Amino acid sequence: MRLEPTILYEDRHVLVVNKPAGWVTMGLPEGQETLLTWLKKMIKERDAKPGNVFLGIVSRLDTPVTGAVLLAKTSKAAARLAEQFRRRTVSKIYWAVVEGRWPKAEGTLQHWIKHDPRFRRVHITHAKDPDAEEAVLSYRLLETSHNCSLLELAPKTGRKHQIRIQLSSCGHPILGDRKYGAKTPFPAGIALHAKEITFLHPVEKTPKTVEAPIPSYWRSTALKSVAADRA
């Protein structure tokens, strides 16, 4: 049974929800449910709105990824938040459980990646590739064992699938991420969670940080595996 999204923060201007695995954020053909269409329907019924509900997705997550998704409830808020993303002033923190023992306590990963639309994935390439995009993230090792490691990640760029391909290219794919070489199964989606997002409130002009609790099954699978193997 697919879990429903939960509201983490809401006011008249913005909405932050915790997306479960399996939800497409937006962009499916008309009639197919997405996170966006579900939220619009929920708000319309909850608030008894007579007309259309405006919601603008300003941050997305891949279908198998869980965690915080930021939406705007007005067009003015959408424009202002989109500009923050363009300027890279929005910060996001992810947790990921990867296969194997991660070798270093902290550092930065820098790669050049390119899209392969035929297989709906990305590949590592080189800086001189005309289709290349730079992908940068910093990491911190939280826990490690022989079988898997828990990482905290802070992307500096917002490329499609960048966390997934960057970790996989280091020989440590995310648990459950078969598209990028993982052999270890995971209960739902993959072991990648958008744990925190910080942005400037589009109207109040004050920093706002919203945290998304990790799915409960992480504690009985991925995190348990790290702790048990380390003990």
Side-chain angles (χ1 to χ4, degrees):
M1 181 178 179
R2 186 169 67 163
L3 298 175
E4 292 186 348
T6 55
I7 294 175
L8 301 171
Y9 175 81
E10 184 179 13
D11 61 24
R12 292 183 301 167
H13 310 284
V14 298
L15 172 67
V16 185
V17 299
N18 196 357
K19 184 186 88 67
W23 285 84
V24 176
T25 307
M26 61 181 292
L28 291 181
E30 187 175 355
Q32 296 186 37
E33 188 176 59
T34 65
L35 178 69
L36 182 60
T37 61
W38 187 91
L39 288 170
K40 284 184 175 182
K41 180 180 178 182
M42 181 274 292
I43 291 174
K44 184 177 179 66
E45 294 175 352
R46 183 195 66 185
D47 300 344
K49 285 186 172 291
N52 293 329
V53 173
F54 179 89
L55 274 182
I57 296 273
V58 289
S59 69
R60 301 189 189 189
L61 293 177
D62 296 342
T63 303
V65 180
T66 59
V69 175
L70 174 62
L71 302 96
K73 296 179 69 177
T74 68
S75 58
K76 180 182 292 186
R80 291 176 177 176
L81 290 169
E83 180 63 21
Q84 292 182 44
F85 275 94
R86 281 193 292 270
R87 295 183 178 182
R88 298 182 182 176
T89 58
V90 178
S91 63
K92 299 177 77 173
I93 300 295
Y94 290 78
W95 274 17
V97 182
V98 300
E99 294 181 350
R101 181 185 292 274
W102 191 269
K104 297 177 64 177
E106 59 184 21
T108 299
L109 300 180
Q110 180 184 35
H111 295 89
W112 294 91
I113 64 177
K114 66 182 299 183
H115 293 271
D116 184 349
R118 296 172 301 169
F119 300 102
R120 303 178 69 179
R121 57 166 293 160
V122 298
H123 297 281
I124 298 294
T125 184
H126 52 84
K128 294 184 179 180
D129 188 324
D131 299 320
E133 294 181 316
E134 186 181 28
V136 181
L137 66 80
S138 62
Y139 65 83
R140 184 164 66 95
L141 178 62
L142 300 180
E143 301 273 358
T144 190
S145 71
H146 177 70
N147 291 326
C148 53
S149 303
L150 173 63
L151 300 175
E152 184 176 88
L153 308 162
K156 307 304 180 186
T157 54
R159 310 303 185 191
K160 182 179 178 65
H161 292 192
Q162 79 162 79
I163 294 176
R164 299 166 66 181
I165 187 62
Q166 287 190 273
L167 298 180
S168 177
S169 71
C170 294
H172 299 276
I174 297 168
L175 269 58
D177 197 1
R178 295 173 60 188
K179 181 185 287 283
Y180 290 102
K183 296 180 174 60
T184 307
F186 198 62
I190 64 177
L192 179 62
H193 179 73
K195 192 171 185 291
E196 180 181 297
I197 186 168
T198 300
F199 57 95
L200 192 69
H201 192 280
V203 175
E204 298 172 3
K205 305 298 184 182
T206 54
K208 182 70 181 178
T209 297
V210 181
E211 296 189 20
I214 60 174
S216 59
Y217 51 82
W218 276 52
R219 301 188 185 280
S220 61
T221 54
L223 300 187
K224 183 178 179 180
S225 297
V226 175
D229 196 64
R230 191 184 68 254

